[in-house]
Amino acid sequence: MDRSPADAARARRTSGGPVLQDELTAALKRALYKELAEAGYGKLSLEAVARRAGAGKAAIYRRWSGKRAMLVALLSDLAGEAIEVPDTGALRSDVRQFLVNSCAALEDPLMYEIVPDLLAEAARDPEVGDALSYAMHLLKREKAAELLQRAIDRGDLDPGTDVEIGLELLAGPLYWRLVVIKKPTDDDYFDRLTNKIVGALEA
Amino acid sequence: MDRSPADAARARRTSGGPVLQDELTAALKRALYKELAEAGYGKLSLEAVARRAGAGKAAIYRRWSGKRAMLVALLSDLAGEAIEVPDTGALRSDVRQFLVNSCAALEDPLMYEIVPDLLAEAARDPEVGDALSYAMHLLKREKAAELLQRAIDRGDLDPGTDVEIGLELLAGPLYWRLVVIKKPTDDDYFDRLTNKIVGALEA
Amino acid sequence: MDRSPADAARARRTSGGPVLQDELTAALKRALYKELAEAGYGKLSLEAVARRAGAGKAAIYRRWSGKRAMLVALLSDLAGEAIEVPDTGALRSDVRQFLVNSCAALEDPLMYEIVPDLLAEAARDPEVGDALSYAMHLLKREKAAELLQRAIDRGDLDPGTDVEIGLELLAGPLYWRLVVIKKPTDDDYFDRLTNKIVGALEA
Amino acid sequence: MDRSPADAARARRTSGGPVLQDELTAALKRALYKELAEAGYGKLSLEAVARRAGAGKAAIYRRWSGKRAMLVALLSDLAGEAIEVPDTGALRSDVRQFLVNSCAALEDPLMYEIVPDLLAEAARDPEVGDALSYAMHLLKREKAAELLQRAIDRGDLDPGTDVEIGLELLAGPLYWRLVVIKKPTDDDYFDRLTNKIVGALEA
DNA sequence: TTCTAATCGAGACGGTACGTCCCGTCTTGCC
DNA sequence: GGCAAGACGGGACGTACCGTCTCGATTAGAA
């Protein structure tokens, strides 16, 4: 069972025993991040991570069960940095800003390099899938749902609007373009995509 | 330098000695395909591929330079099997059928298990990325574009319709749902998604 | 564990240094003894010793500097349990009884399982060697020497008898048979060996 | 590494199974011998052995199942170098020379350092015990038995002489002195021990 | 038909990394 | 300050594959 720094902190307060040291945990994560950037997921070596952190391998395995678990933890750390959901007061500008924000998030090297790996792994490992879903989608999904709900409350959208499909329209096309077919975006593209999405929502 | 079966055939015609055996090449690819589905790209072992094919490791390295090159070859082979693009005579039913066909394709183990791995690898290796783009998206993209063009020709859509965005609306939301957030689909879902896409196209 | 202040006071008076708890020291030695018998010196793990004793590793390192030092201490404890040297009034029966007693001692699990380990270690570590010699051989040697001296005093043996060689004849052949070549013994064997040893002594 | 086809051919003939290369096997054994001399059995590291031999660890594990098995093999190699059994034509000088030869063998670092380790291990592992018995004792035992038989044939010893006990007298006291109590030997000692042994044999 | 040369299955080779275990030291909080 | 607990850096374990190399046998084109 992996132990997070939060667990460690709690343990220190309640159990009385020695405990995983938060600063080392952080150093290991920093080392992981740097190794990922240099070597990529496939060639990632936990030995190199430990070496870079000036730690023993056991320090890693004491915290996480392996490569994937350590990555999931790194992701979870960054989950809080959820995509900002704008509240501009108008549906069209909210949608456009949401797309721009999402694009910025997806162009972060972390997302760009690591998320596809985890997505692939998630296809075979439900634990990774769950962590990934929680870290990446649920928070964002809730926030995007707020965006649509506000539009309904304002009367910009019909109360019967299909919110589920709406969320997929907000996320899917941009993800497809950036991650799958890897085409660049620009202001004009955001305008045109916003047009279509708003058109669909209002249809 | 990798050698393809075509090279082998040419070699057979021009050189003197024995030559890479096509049937073995095919068997190796089949073994690769199965190993990918079971183990994933990250844990893929060429030793296991050779073992499954009843071949020696050298048989692989004689043909390809390594893991990625072998994958690229596999992908290229599968490029032809593009998604069927329907022609029902009406935009709405064409779109719905396209979604259903795409869904079937994405639920094929090839897509479901292997493509995410390759997508991840493509994030770091342009050669894989190019092969993947060619194999998966370009052909399909062309065909989906035909679908929209026919609707424009029929007058179902305005001639100024934004085809580029249209293609993303056709592919993105479904991919997002099936591959990223992994929610199930049903007839009702297809109806609702078709509704929104057609609404967007006509907007 | 239920230790009285009196225990601590006694220990403080005895040692003068930090008050290590005697019962814990004893428990650690018992645990060491059992681990040695099960795992052997080579695979001996002080972590396992501590675990078996329900103690922390530090409790061991507070008392001894490492594996070997702990062993030496164990040996010294056992030094007193020297082999009984018989005094039957006649050389032949004294020798025979000494062989039988020695055989019983060598067939004790302590000798059978642990001594060979220590003997091996002693080949490289003089400190272990010395402790082992003291614990196992010197006392016994003195007593066996008494046996021969009594025979000389009685006139059973010539005053010029080579006692040093005599002691090796008493110990060596039996040790060789039991520990090195591991052949069984029986009454007849003791008779025959006694014959030869007495023959040699009288020669 | 510079291996000729002849090496491979020889190896194939020798082993019949997988073609392990004899020269590498020999180099690994040489490295083991040197590491043993430097580090001792307890601190022996197969990684260091492989490093010294310029080989990979797998080269070791392909040949032997672990530390002990590799040692047993080294021993078996040296088994042929059995103790020379002299044939001087007279019992007394044969015995004396046998003791001198045995002493030389037991003072070889291999015997002195390693055999006690294996002896200890043999107490727990019958496989090691058997290999050790064969490697060390059986050949020597047979040869020592010849020595006694020649004496009987010459009439130096009575035909009814107890050969079994005789062998233990030849081996045990010297082993005890050299390995167990670790006292030095000299010419005078050999004379005195020879005296007693011959005395016992003739008794 | 015989020779020749490259491919075949097999697997040894020097390596790298894995994940585990234990070393001997150090730290924390209870008693 | 001893104590149980156990984290720490370090290092070896034995395993799995990597990509390369070599082996004898097969096999198919060229002589």
Side-chain angles (χ1 to χ4, degrees):
Chain A
M1 184 57 74
D2 304 338
R3 278 162 293 173
S4 70
D7 290 331
R10 178 159 27 75
R12 188 180 298 115
R13 261 176 269 114
T14 60
S15 80
V19 119
L20 298 172
Q21 302 188 18
D22 291 356
E23 176 45 38
L24 178 55
T25 304
L28 288 168
K29 282 178 181 165
R30 283 194 299 273
L32 170 63
Y33 187 87
K34 288 175 188 167
E35 284 293 320
L36 270 175
E38 288 183 12
Y41 177 86
K43 300 196 170 179
L44 179 62
S45 146
L46 292 191
E47 297 205 333
V49 172
R51 217 176 298 131
R52 184 190 285 268
K57 280 200 293 180
I60 292 178
Y61 286 101
R62 226 171 263 130
R63 291 170 168 76
W64 305 286
S65 62
K67 209 179 272 198
R68 294 205 296 261
M70 196 177 177
L71 271 171
V72 170
L74 184 58
L75 267 180
S76 299
D77 271 16
L78 298 160
E81 309 177 9
I83 294 164
E84 286 291 309
V85 176
D87 184 2
T88 63
L91 175 60
R92 176 170 300 266
S93 49
D94 270 7
V95 166
R96 195 183 189 286
Q97 195 57 46
F98 179 84
L99 293 175
V100 170
N101 291 353
S102 296
C103 179
L106 286 170
E107 280 175 339
D108 179 299
L110 177 69
M111 302 301 244
Y112 196 72
E113 299 247 345
I114 302 173
V115 168
D117 286 309
L118 295 177
L119 218 42
E121 197 50 39
R124 274 177 297 272
D125 184 338
E127 196 183 347
V128 172
D130 293 348
L132 189 60
S133 289
Y134 179 72
M136 308 231 30
H137 309 309
L138 296 185
L139 291 175
K140 178 173 158 188
R141 191 176 183 79
E142 286 169 14
K143 295 199 177 176
E146 288 171 25
L147 185 157
L148 295 183
Q149 193 54 50
R150 281 199 304 271
I152 292 169
D153 294 344
R154 275 194 310 263
D156 289 354
L157 288 179
D158 188 272
T161 298
D162 191 334
V163 173
E164 184 181 17
I165 301 293
L167 294 172
E168 291 175 10
L169 290 171
L170 280 168
L174 186 63
Y175 183 86
W176 176 264
R177 184 184 186 91
L178 289 174
V179 176
V180 183
I181 65 178
K182 296 184 204 304
K183 291 177 72 173
T185 57
D186 56 21
D187 279 356
D188 179 53
Y189 169 75
F190 286 123
D191 288 338
R192 288 151 59 208
L193 182 55
T194 302
N195 257 345
K196 290 295 177 193
I197 291 173
V198 172
L201 289 168
E202 292 173 342
Chain B
M1 185 52 77
D2 306 338
R3 278 162 295 176
S4 69
D7 290 330
R10 179 163 29 75
R12 191 179 297 117
R13 263 175 268 113
T14 59
S15 85
V19 116
L20 296 172
Q21 301 184 13
D22 292 355
E23 177 44 39
L24 176 55
T25 304
L28 288 167
K29 282 177 181 167
R30 284 194 299 273
L32 171 63
Y33 180 89
K34 288 174 187 166
E35 285 292 323
L36 269 176
E38 288 183 12
Y41 179 86
K43 299 194 171 177
L44 179 62
S45 146
L46 292 191
E47 297 206 337
V49 171
R51 213 177 301 130
R52 186 191 284 267
K57 282 200 293 179
I60 291 177
Y61 285 100
R62 225 172 265 128
R63 290 168 169 77
W64 305 286
S65 64
K67 211 180 267 197
R68 294 213 280 256
M70 195 178 179
L71 264 177
V72 170
L74 179 60
L75 272 177
S76 301
D77 274 16
L78 297 163
E81 309 179 11
I83 293 165
E84 285 293 307
V85 176
D87 184 4
T88 62
L91 175 61
R92 175 169 301 267
S93 49
D94 269 8
V95 166
R96 194 183 189 285
Q97 196 57 46
F98 179 84
L99 293 175
V100 170
N101 290 354
S102 296
C103 179
L106 286 170
E107 281 174 340
D108 179 297
L110 174 69
M111 303 300 251
Y112 196 72
E113 302 261 355
I114 301 176
V115 167
D117 286 309
L118 298 178
L119 219 43
E121 193 53 29
R124 275 179 297 272
D125 184 336
E127 196 183 348
V128 172
D130 293 348
L132 188 61
S133 288
Y134 180 72
M136 306 226 34
H137 310 310
L138 297 185
L139 290 175
K140 176 175 160 189
R141 191 174 183 80
E142 286 169 14
K143 295 202 177 174
E146 289 172 24
L147 184 156
L148 295 183
Q149 193 55 50
R150 282 199 305 270
I152 292 169
D153 295 345
R154 275 194 311 264
D156 288 354
L157 287 179
D158 187 272
T161 298
D162 189 335
V163 173
E164 183 181 19
I165 301 293
L167 294 173
E168 290 175 11
L169 288 171
L170 279 168
L174 186 62
Y175 183 87
W176 176 264
R177 183 184 187 93
L178 290 176
V179 176
V180 182
I181 65 177
K182 295 181 205 308
K183 290 176 73 173
T185 57
D186 57 22
D187 279 356
D188 178 54
Y189 170 75
F190 287 123
D191 289 338
R192 289 151 58 207
L193 182 55
T194 303
N195 258 345
K196 291 294 178 193
I197 291 173
V198 172
L201 290 169
E202 292 173 342
Chain C
M1 192 81 48
D2 202 349
R3 280 168 275 108
S4 69
D7 288 333
R10 177 166 26 79
R12 192 177 298 116
R13 258 176 273 118
T14 311
S15 71
V19 185
L20 300 175
Q21 300 187 18
D22 292 353
E23 176 45 38
L24 178 54
T25 304
L28 287 168
K29 283 176 182 169
R30 283 194 299 273
L32 171 63
Y33 182 89
K34 289 175 187 166
E35 285 292 323
L36 268 177
E38 288 182 13
Y41 179 85
K43 299 196 169 174
L44 179 63
S45 147
L46 292 192
E47 297 206 336
V49 172
R51 212 178 301 131
R52 187 191 283 266
K57 282 200 292 178
I60 291 177
Y61 285 99
R62 223 171 269 128
R63 289 167 170 78
W64 304 286
S65 65
K67 211 180 267 198
R68 293 211 280 255
M70 195 177 178
L71 264 178
V72 170
L74 179 60
L75 272 177
S76 300
D77 274 15
L78 297 162
E81 308 179 9
I83 292 166
E84 285 292 308
V85 177
D87 183 4
T88 63
L91 174 61
R92 175 169 302 265
S93 49
D94 270 7
V95 167
R96 194 184 191 285
Q97 196 57 45
F98 179 84
L99 293 175
V100 170
N101 291 353
S102 296
C103 180
L106 286 170
E107 280 174 341
D108 178 299
L110 174 69
M111 303 301 252
Y112 197 71
E113 301 260 354
I114 301 178
V115 168
D117 285 309
L118 298 178
L119 219 42
E121 192 54 30
R124 275 179 297 271
D125 184 336
E127 198 183 347
V128 172
D130 293 349
L132 188 61
S133 288
Y134 179 72
M136 307 234 28
H137 310 309
L138 296 186
L139 290 176
K140 177 174 158 188
R141 192 176 182 78
E142 286 168 13
K143 295 199 178 176
E146 289 170 24
L147 185 156
L148 295 183
Q149 193 56 49
R150 281 198 304 271
I152 292 170
D153 294 346
R154 275 194 308 265
D156 288 353
L157 288 178
D158 187 273
T161 298
D162 190 334
V163 174
E164 183 180 19
I165 301 293
L167 295 172
E168 292 176 11
L169 289 172
L170 280 168
L174 186 63
Y175 183 87
W176 176 264
R177 184 185 187 92
L178 290 176
V179 176
V180 183
I181 65 176
K182 296 183 205 304
K183 288 176 73 172
T185 57
D186 56 21
D187 280 354
D188 179 54
Y189 170 75
F190 287 122
D191 289 338
R192 289 153 58 210
L193 183 54
T194 302
N195 257 343
K196 289 295 177 192
I197 291 174
V198 172
L201 289 169
E202 293 174 343
Chain D
M1 194 68 59
D2 202 350
R3 280 170 275 108
S4 69
D7 288 333
R10 178 162 27 77
R12 192 179 318 107
R13 257 177 274 117
T14 309
S15 70
V19 185
L20 300 175
Q21 304 192 26
D22 290 356
E23 176 46 38
L24 177 55
T25 303
L28 288 168
K29 282 178 182 167
R30 283 193 300 271
L32 170 63
Y33 186 88
K34 288 176 188 165
E35 284 293 321
L36 271 175
E38 288 183 14
Y41 178 86
K43 300 197 170 177
L44 179 62
S45 147
L46 292 192
E47 296 206 332
V49 172
R51 216 177 298 131
R52 185 191 284 266
K57 278 200 293 179
I60 291 178
Y61 286 101
R62 229 171 259 130
R63 289 167 170 76
W64 304 286
S65 62
K67 208 178 274 197
R68 293 204 298 260
M70 195 177 178
L71 271 172
V72 170
L74 183 57
L75 266 181
S76 300
D77 270 18
L78 297 160
E81 309 177 9
I83 294 165
E84 285 291 308
V85 177
D87 184 4
T88 63
L91 174 61
R92 175 170 301 264
S93 49
D94 271 8
V95 166
R96 194 183 190 286
Q97 195 58 46
F98 179 84
L99 292 175
V100 170
N101 292 353
S102 295
C103 180
L106 286 170
E107 279 175 340
D108 179 300
L110 177 70
M111 301 302 244
Y112 197 73
E113 300 245 344
I114 303 174
V115 168
D117 286 309
L118 296 176
L119 219 42
E121 198 51 41
R124 275 176 294 272
D125 183 338
E127 196 184 346
V128 172
D130 292 349
L132 189 61
S133 288
Y134 179 72
M136 305 225 37
H137 311 309
L138 296 185
L139 290 176
K140 178 173 158 188
R141 192 176 183 76
E142 286 169 13
K143 296 200 177 176
E146 289 171 24
L147 185 155
L148 295 183
Q149 192 57 51
R150 281 199 304 270
I152 292 169
D153 294 344
R154 275 195 308 265
D156 289 353
L157 287 179
D158 187 271
T161 298
D162 190 334
V163 174
E164 183 181 18
I165 301 294
L167 295 172
E168 291 175 11
L169 288 172
L170 280 168
L174 186 62
Y175 184 87
W176 175 265
R177 183 183 186 94
L178 290 175
V179 176
V180 183
I181 64 176
K182 295 182 206 304
K183 289 177 73 173
T185 57
D186 57 22
D187 279 355
D188 179 53
Y189 170 76
F190 287 122
D191 288 338
R192 290 151 56 207
L193 182 55
T194 303
N195 258 344
K196 291 295 176 192
I197 292 173
V198 172
L201 289 168
E202 292 174 342

